[in-house]
């Protein structure tokens, strides 16, 4: 027996190819949507990996530095260093802001880290160019996605920073590139007021007779110094000694009054379950709509193509073709259309993925799942046409 | 290849009523008809007289309301179907030729003709060999690889005759097979049907209005008001 579906496709290949192309673009969009979600999860994982931390110590009753504002005193880490199983602890601040770059600005996650050797938690892990931050002030390591180049100057609040190193794929959970600066500068940027506010505060403090007492020299200076220094950080990143589990080290710290401790697993739960959950649902909704649209298109095309062959189907039945053969022909055509669409979709999704502003991660597993879904959709969509074809009466071939 | 044992077509008291009750239409009221193997008979009658209905009953696509039908050596209907698989009956015992050729547009000429044996489970090579064997006699051998859309109307009709013949059925039912053809081509189609009928001992019924071909039949059945009347024809088939 010859393949009726195959012959029909060969005969009308132009129509098939164009329909397959259209369907393919739609499937490409669908695969990209899945890739965007995977990219978000992967960015979140990269964020946790790159922090180099096993435990996150944050303000009591907050969800940690990536999901909620958290504020801790910056001498807390000393206490943590003394805890059993702790290999390292470092202060860190996170602040999403616009970073000025002569004239324009870039949205970035500014990370304040303690200047030190690589391997300290919080430090950018791998540089693609340049070096780590070594001074306590005015140096920056920027992610390539920010567009900054080595030696370039950027401005955060009042200060200018020189880019001394570059990283790759260091982004926030919302995809903004990271810019690392020394902790002191970051604290100032995050917690300090602007010039005008400082002048105003100094003036008010100076005019307050309680602080500006004639008989107590130095009091005013001390008060102003206390007001303008800052000792808050967003989190303390803790690295655990080899041979200890995060949970085991976290346990005694949990008993501390004013802090919350998260393990890597809990942090993943917060990022995926809370931070990107809404985006994930948004994407899921898109996937559902795109599937319905694809199904409708396939159903419509296959139905019209079948309706155009009613006479031939009646003749085929009259000369003794089984219903199964005719149904199989229509199903095979739908599956062939789906396969063309899937191949086109996979190609275009791969082609345009790098042009997306955020990371698009196309997993082979998703492609396989996508293919299965396309095949199921095509099978269901061909149902309408198959039903119509099976209802064709062979007597119609003989006519009136 | 001939089937001398075949008894051609025999129809006895065939009735067909469409619908029920007040709206019932009695299209056939006791049709009697005999066609010998190798014979081509004409079936003529005014519009609405029941020609298509008779063909559909014989073609096993509608169920008669009573009577008997014998195809070849087999009683296929006797107050009820005597055959389980009507689809296989149509495939193996009956060849159909229509007013329009109704070739499958996406199969080439050879595969259009090879399709019925393939449907019956014959291997592709053998089915194509059987098709090609017929092409010489029908003078379409040179178009064997063409697509139906590339053929003339007459060529298409000859291909459809080849398709009707390829499974060597004892019976061919032709429904206005010459309607769209000019008189020369119409006569050529009838000539071919006669020649094939003789060669393969096939009983052929040709339903027609076509004045050009009516004189070619040796025997004609007139159908009027659901009943048949046999009549001798002129039997003029110019070579
Ligand atoms: N499916 C049907 N349901 C009800 N009545 C029908 C049906 N098919 C045919 N008839 C009726 O049966 C009668 C015979 O119809 P049939 O189609 O056999 O005529 P015909 O001889 O082929 O006519 P024509 O030359 O116009 O094709 C007509 O009165 C017709 O209206
Ligand atoms: Mg008719």
């Amino acid at each position: 027996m010859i393949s009726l579906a195959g012959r029909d496709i060969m005969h009308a290949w132009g129509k098939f190819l164009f329909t397959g192309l259209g369907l393919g673009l739609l499937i490409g969009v669908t695969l990209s949507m899945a890739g965007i979600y995977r990219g978000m999860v992967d960015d979140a994982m990269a964020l946790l990996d790159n922090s180099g931390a096993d435990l996150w110590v944050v303000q009591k009753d907050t969800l940690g530095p990536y999901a909620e504002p958290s504020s801790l005193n910056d001498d807390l880490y000393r206490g943590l260093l003394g805890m059993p199983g702790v290999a390292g602890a470092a202060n860190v601040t996170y602040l999403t802001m616009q970073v000025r770059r002569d004239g324009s600005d870039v949205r970035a996650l500014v990370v304040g880290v303690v200047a030190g050797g690589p391997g300290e938690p919080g430090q950018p892990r791998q540089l693609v160019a340049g070096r780590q931050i070594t001074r306590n002030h005015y140096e920056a390591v920027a992610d390539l996605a920010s567009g900054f180049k080595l030696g370039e100057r950027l401005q955060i609040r009042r200060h200018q920073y020189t880019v001394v190193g570059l990283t790759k794929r260091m982004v926030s959970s919302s995809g903004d590139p990271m810019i690392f600066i020394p902790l002191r500068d970051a604290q100032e940027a995050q917690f300090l007021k602007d010039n005008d506010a400082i002048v105003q505060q100094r003036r008010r403090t100076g005019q307050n007779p309680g602080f500006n007492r004639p008989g107590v020299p130095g009091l005013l200076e001390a008060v102003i110094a206390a007001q303008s220094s800052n000792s808050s950080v967003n989190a303390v990143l803790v690295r655990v000694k080899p041979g200890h589990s995060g949970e085991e080290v976290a346990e005694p710290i949990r008993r501390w009054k004013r802090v919350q401790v998260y393990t890597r697993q809990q942090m993943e739960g917060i990022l995926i379950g809370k931070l990107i959950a809404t985006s994930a649902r948004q994407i899921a909704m898109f996937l559902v709509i795109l599937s319905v649209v694809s199904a409708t298109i396939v159903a419509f095309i296959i139905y019209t193509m079948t309706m155009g062959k009613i006479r031939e189907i009646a003749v085929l039945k009259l000369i003794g073709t089984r219903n199964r053969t005719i149904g199989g022909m229509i199903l095979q055509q739908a599956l062939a259309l789906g396969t063309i669409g899937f191949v086109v979709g996979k190609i275009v999704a791969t082609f345009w993925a790098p042009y997306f502003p955020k990371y698009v991660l196309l997993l082979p597993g998703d492609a396989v799942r996508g293919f299965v879904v396309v095949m199921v959709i095509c099978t269901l969509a061909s149902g309408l046409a198959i039903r119509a074809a099976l209802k064709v009466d062979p007597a119609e071939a003989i006519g009136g | 290849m001939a089937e001398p044992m075949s008894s051609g077509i025999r129809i006895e008291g065939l009735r067909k009523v469409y619908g029920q009750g007040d709206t019932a239409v009695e299209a056939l009221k006791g049709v009697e008809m005999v066609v010998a193997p190798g014979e081509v008979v004409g079936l003529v009658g005014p519009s609405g007289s029941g020609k298509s209905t008779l063909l559909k009953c014989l073609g096993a696509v509608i169920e008669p309301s009573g009577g008997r039908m014998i195809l070849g050596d087999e009683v296929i209907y006797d107050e009820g179907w005597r055959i389980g698989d009507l689809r296989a009956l149509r495939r193996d015992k009956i060849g159909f030729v229509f007013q329009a050729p109704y070739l499958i547009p996406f199969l080439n000429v050879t595969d259009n003709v090879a399709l019925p044996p393939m449907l019956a489970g014959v291997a592709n090579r053998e089915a194509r060999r059987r098709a090609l064997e017929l092409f010489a006699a029908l003078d379409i051998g040179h178009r064997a690889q063409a697509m139906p859309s590339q053929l003339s109307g007459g060529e298409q009709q000859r291909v459809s005759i080849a398709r009707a013949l390829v499974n060597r059925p004892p019976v061919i039912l032709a429904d206005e097979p010459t309607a769209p053809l000019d008189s020369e081509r119409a006569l050529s189609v009838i000539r071919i049907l006669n020649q094939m009928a003789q060669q393969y001992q096939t009983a052929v019924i040709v339903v027609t209005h076509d004045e050009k071909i009516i004189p070619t039949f040796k025997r004609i059945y007139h159908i009027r008001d659901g009943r048949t009347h046999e009549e001798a024809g002129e039997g003029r088939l110019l070579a």
Side-chain angles (χ1 to χ4, degrees), chain A residues 29-354:
Chain A
V29 172
T30 313
L31 290 174
S32 300
M33 293 307 281
I36 288 169
Y37 171 72
R38 295 295 181 192
M40 279 164 48
V41 171
D42 200 67
D43 277 350
M45 292 301 130
L47 175 68
L48 298 183
D49 285 343
N50 291 331
S51 71
D54 300 311
L55 296 177
W56 283 258
V57 179
V58 300
Q59 185 183 337
K60 190 87 186 161
D61 296 328
T62 69
L63 285 176
Y66 313 116
E68 282 184 341
S70 151
S71 175
L72 290 175
N73 206 289
D74 65 1
D75 53 16
L76 188 82
Y77 81 97
R78 290 203 191 95
L80 287 168
L81 278 175
M83 296 300 287
V86 170
N91 286 323
V92 68
T93 66
Y94 295 100
L95 179 63
T96 299
M97 61 187 298
Q98 298 296 121
V99 172
R100 213 113 30 92
R101 176 193 193 182
D102 35 60
S104 66
D105 48 25
V106 182
R107 188 161 188 80
L109 178 67
V110 173
V111 186
V113 292
V114 182
E120 277 299 303
Q123 284 277 346
R125 287 210 134 171
Q126 276 173 353
L127 301 183
V128 291
R131 57 169 175 84
Q132 298 278 3
I133 296 167
T134 49
R135 300 203 200 130
N136 280 328
H137 288 293
Y138 312 133
E139 286 186 344
V141 169
D143 190 78
L144 281 175
S146 66
F148 285 111
K149 295 189 183 59
L150 277 186
E152 208 173 331
R153 315 236 334 135
L154 55 87
Q155 186 171 356
I156 296 171
R157 295 274 155 94
R158 285 178 302 194
H159 299 300
Q160 295 256 329
Y161 297 79
T162 307
V163 177
V164 296
L166 293 173
T167 62
K168 204 177 163 185
R169 267 195 49 56
M170 298 277 284
V171 292
S172 77
S173 58
S174 45
D176 300 320
M178 287 186 184
I179 292 178
F180 296 85
I181 59 174
L183 184 74
R184 289 263 158 247
D185 293 348
Q187 283 177 308
E188 195 182 319
Q190 184 170 161
F191 299 105
L192 279 195
K193 301 161 183 123
D194 61 35
N195 281 340
D196 188 50
I198 292 168
V199 171
Q200 293 293 330
Q201 192 184 35
R202 285 206 177 137
R203 193 177 49 76
R204 273 200 304 275
T205 312
Q207 282 168 358
N208 187 334
F211 296 135
N212 199 359
R213 294 194 172 175
V216 191
L219 174 64
L220 179 63
E221 278 67 40
V223 169
I224 288 175
Q227 278 175 340
S228 36
S229 82
N230 190 284
S231 56
S232 286
V233 293
N234 296 126
V236 180
L237 304 178
V238 175
R239 201 151 38 76
V240 166
K241 277 185 189 147
H244 290 72
S245 81
E247 195 48 51
E248 165 194 333
V249 178
E251 194 44 44
I253 305 174
R254 290 225 166 89
R255 279 183 238 123
W256 292 16
K257 279 251 163 54
R258 277 179 289 277
V259 302
Q260 187 96 29
V261 187
Y262 293 112
T263 61
R264 164 77 193 222
Q265 221 176 358
Q266 290 169 318
M267 224 46 213
E268 284 181 10
I270 289 170
L271 283 179
I272 292 162
K274 301 220 157 60
L275 218 56
I276 61 179
T278 314
S279 309
R281 280 199 297 276
Q282 183 100 337
I283 286 170
M285 191 63 211
F286 254 113
L287 291 180
V288 168
I289 292 173
L290 287 170
S291 306
V292 171
V293 172
S294 312
T296 314
I297 290 180
V298 175
F300 177 75
I301 297 290
I302 294 293
Y303 186 76
T304 351
M305 284 191 334
T306 306
M307 285 300 114
K309 288 196 290 264
I310 284 298
R311 194 102 231 181
E312 284 78 22
I313 288 172
V315 172
L316 282 172
K317 284 188 170 189
L318 186 71
I319 65 174
T321 312
R322 287 171 207 275
N323 274 341
R324 206 183 335 131
T325 309
I326 292 168
M329 170 176 97
I330 297 169
L331 177 64
Q332 284 169 40
Q333 289 182 337
L335 294 182
L337 197 60
T339 307
I340 296 175
F342 179 81
V343 170
V344 171
K346 180 80 184 111
I347 291 170
V348 296
T350 309
F351 173 76
W352 67 40

Side-chain angles (χ1 to χ4, degrees), chain A residues 400, chain B residues 18 25 27 45-54 176 209:
Chain B
Y18 287 110
V25 178
S47 184
S49 54
K51 302 182 296 294
S52 295
T53 304
L54 178 56
E176 311 256 11
H209 281 116

